[in-house]
Amino acid sequence: FLQLRVLSLQTLEGFRTVYLDQVTVPALQDLTLQHKSRSCWVHLDLPQVRNLYLRSWEGEADCVRSLLAEAVDLETFAARCLPAEDLRFCSDCLREVTVNRCEALRTLILDAPYLTNLRVDHCFNLDTIEFLHPASTGGPLKVSSRGAYLGGTARRNLRAHPRSVRADDDQDAARSVFPLASYAHEDHLGQAA
């Protein structure tokens, strides 16, 4: 596993433990984890990861928050049905964040000055989106919030961001960010097109 760069576990059902760290998979850059049950314990210590995709996550999400605190080279993050109340990103490399149907998510903090795509589709409790160091130069920050309820602080901070543009009508907003063929044909409601 020392040279493994891409790992995709389509289902974690049946797993009791998933332990991934810098020692076991030191070259890992792209990680996809799906269908984590409450009975599966996951440990992620992967500061080198560049692309992280999570889908249908049950139980705690502490390992995800810990990973995000360390992943300073993270470029892409996509999560669907992740039960985290807050997510914090700190990466100058981060370009795309997607949180879809993360119903528990209340706070999103982004220390990602060069972010170009932010999707918060179908997040019903997102009160706060905070940009810690937004870059005023560079391309636009395309924001999609299809079917989302955004609190006043989230709306105010999105409007105040120097590069923020609405992407809800943009073709990019409707595309799937999950790197799986089965998701490539899903529309924004998660149904087959």
Side-chain angles (χ1 to χ4, degrees), residues 88-90 108-113 129-135 161:
R88 181 183 181 125
F89 298 86
C90 183
L108 188 60
I109 299 174
L110 299 148
D111 189 355
I129 298 174
E130 187 174 345
F131 300 96
L132 297 184
H133 301 102
H161 190 284

Short mmCIF file of all heavy atoms in Angstrom, two decimals, residues 88-90 108-113 129-135 161:
data_model
loop_
_atom_site.label_atom_id
_atom_site.label_comp_id
_atom_site.label_asym_id
_atom_site.label_seq_id
_atom_site.Cartn_x
_atom_site.Cartn_y
_atom_site.Cartn_z
N ARG A 88 -14.58 22.93 9.20
CA ARG A 88 -13.61 24.01 9.07
C ARG A 88 -12.50 23.56 8.13
O ARG A 88 -11.92 22.51 8.31
CB ARG A 88 -13.02 24.37 10.43
CG ARG A 88 -12.04 25.51 10.33
CD ARG A 88 -11.40 25.82 11.66
NE ARG A 88 -10.49 26.93 11.48
CZ ARG A 88 -10.54 28.04 12.17
NH1 ARG A 88 -11.44 28.22 13.09
NH2 ARG A 88 -9.67 29.00 11.93
N PHE A 89 -12.22 24.40 7.14
CA PHE A 89 -11.19 24.10 6.14
C PHE A 89 -10.07 25.12 6.26
O PHE A 89 -10.32 26.31 6.46
CB PHE A 89 -11.78 24.19 4.73
CG PHE A 89 -12.87 23.20 4.47
CD1 PHE A 89 -14.18 23.49 4.81
CD2 PHE A 89 -12.58 21.98 3.90
CE1 PHE A 89 -15.19 22.57 4.57
CE2 PHE A 89 -13.58 21.05 3.66
CZ PHE A 89 -14.89 21.35 4.00
N CYS A 90 -8.84 24.64 6.10
CA CYS A 90 -7.67 25.51 6.14
C CYS A 90 -6.67 25.01 5.11
O CYS A 90 -5.84 24.16 5.40
CB CYS A 90 -7.06 25.52 7.53
SG CYS A 90 -5.66 26.65 7.65
N LEU A 108 -19.98 26.58 8.54
CA LEU A 108 -18.95 26.26 7.56
C LEU A 108 -17.92 27.39 7.60
O LEU A 108 -18.26 28.54 7.32
CB LEU A 108 -19.58 26.15 6.17
CG LEU A 108 -18.76 25.66 5.01
CD1 LEU A 108 -18.25 24.25 5.26
CD2 LEU A 108 -19.61 25.67 3.74
N ILE A 109 -16.69 27.05 7.99
CA ILE A 109 -15.63 28.05 8.09
C ILE A 109 -14.58 27.72 7.05
O ILE A 109 -14.06 26.61 7.02
CB ILE A 109 -15.02 28.10 9.50
CG1 ILE A 109 -16.11 28.48 10.51
CG2 ILE A 109 -13.86 29.09 9.56
CD1 ILE A 109 -15.68 28.41 11.95
N LEU A 110 -14.27 28.69 6.20
CA LEU A 110 -13.37 28.47 5.07
C LEU A 110 -12.16 29.40 5.15
O LEU A 110 -12.30 30.60 4.94
CB LEU A 110 -14.12 28.69 3.76
CG LEU A 110 -15.29 27.73 3.55
CD1 LEU A 110 -16.39 28.40 2.76
CD2 LEU A 110 -14.82 26.47 2.88
N ASP A 111 -11.02 28.83 5.46
CA ASP A 111 -9.76 29.56 5.37
C ASP A 111 -9.10 29.02 4.10
O ASP A 111 -8.18 28.21 4.15
CB ASP A 111 -8.89 29.31 6.60
CG ASP A 111 -7.67 30.21 6.64
OD1 ASP A 111 -7.46 30.97 5.66
OD2 ASP A 111 -6.93 30.17 7.63
N ALA A 112 -9.66 29.43 2.98
CA ALA A 112 -9.28 28.93 1.66
C ALA A 112 -9.36 30.10 0.68
O ALA A 112 -10.37 30.27 -0.02
CB ALA A 112 -10.22 27.80 1.24
N PRO A 113 -8.33 30.91 0.62
CA PRO A 113 -8.41 32.17 -0.13
C PRO A 113 -8.65 32.01 -1.62
O PRO A 113 -9.17 32.93 -2.24
CB PRO A 113 -7.07 32.83 0.14
CG PRO A 113 -6.17 31.77 0.64
CD PRO A 113 -7.04 30.74 1.27
N ILE A 129 -21.71 30.83 7.21
CA ILE A 129 -20.60 30.55 6.31
C ILE A 129 -19.63 31.70 6.54
O ILE A 129 -20.01 32.86 6.43
CB ILE A 129 -21.04 30.52 4.83
CG1 ILE A 129 -22.03 29.40 4.59
CG2 ILE A 129 -19.81 30.35 3.92
CD1 ILE A 129 -22.62 29.37 3.18
N GLU A 130 -18.41 31.35 6.90
CA GLU A 130 -17.42 32.38 7.21
C GLU A 130 -16.18 32.18 6.36
O GLU A 130 -15.66 31.07 6.25
CB GLU A 130 -17.06 32.31 8.70
CG GLU A 130 -16.17 33.43 9.15
CD GLU A 130 -15.95 33.40 10.66
OE1 GLU A 130 -16.68 32.71 11.38
OE2 GLU A 130 -15.01 34.08 11.09
N PHE A 131 -15.73 33.27 5.74
CA PHE A 131 -14.50 33.26 4.94
C PHE A 131 -13.43 33.99 5.75
O PHE A 131 -13.55 35.19 5.99
CB PHE A 131 -14.72 33.97 3.60
CG PHE A 131 -15.78 33.34 2.76
CD1 PHE A 131 -17.08 33.82 2.77
CD2 PHE A 131 -15.49 32.24 1.96
CE1 PHE A 131 -18.06 33.24 2.00
CE2 PHE A 131 -16.46 31.65 1.18
CZ PHE A 131 -17.76 32.15 1.19
N LEU A 132 -12.38 33.27 6.16
CA LEU A 132 -11.38 33.89 7.03
C LEU A 132 -10.42 34.80 6.29
O LEU A 132 -10.07 35.86 6.79
CB LEU A 132 -10.63 32.82 7.82
CG LEU A 132 -11.49 32.00 8.77
CD1 LEU A 132 -10.62 31.03 9.57
CD2 LEU A 132 -12.29 32.89 9.71
N HIS A 133 -9.94 34.39 5.13
CA HIS A 133 -8.98 35.20 4.37
C HIS A 133 -9.30 35.15 2.88
O HIS A 133 -8.54 34.58 2.11
CB HIS A 133 -7.55 34.70 4.61
CG HIS A 133 -7.14 34.74 6.03
ND1 HIS A 133 -7.12 33.62 6.83
CD2 HIS A 133 -6.76 35.77 6.83
CE1 HIS A 133 -6.74 33.95 8.05
NE2 HIS A 133 -6.52 35.25 8.07
N PRO A 134 -10.41 35.73 2.46
CA PRO A 134 -10.75 35.65 1.03
C PRO A 134 -9.81 36.50 0.18
O PRO A 134 -9.49 37.63 0.52
CB PRO A 134 -12.17 36.20 0.98
CG PRO A 134 -12.28 37.10 2.17
CD PRO A 134 -11.37 36.50 3.22
N ALA A 135 -9.34 35.91 -0.91
CA ALA A 135 -8.50 36.65 -1.85
C ALA A 135 -9.40 37.52 -2.72
O ALA A 135 -10.43 37.09 -3.20
CB ALA A 135 -7.68 35.70 -2.71
N HIS A 161 -18.36 38.57 0.18
CA HIS A 161 -17.14 37.99 -0.39
C HIS A 161 -16.79 38.73 -1.69
O HIS A 161 -17.66 38.92 -2.55
CB HIS A 161 -17.32 36.50 -0.67
CG HIS A 161 -16.05 35.79 -1.02
ND1 HIS A 161 -15.48 35.91 -2.27
CD2 HIS A 161 -15.25 34.98 -0.29
CE1 HIS A 161 -14.37 35.18 -2.29
NE2 HIS A 161 -14.21 34.61 -1.11
#
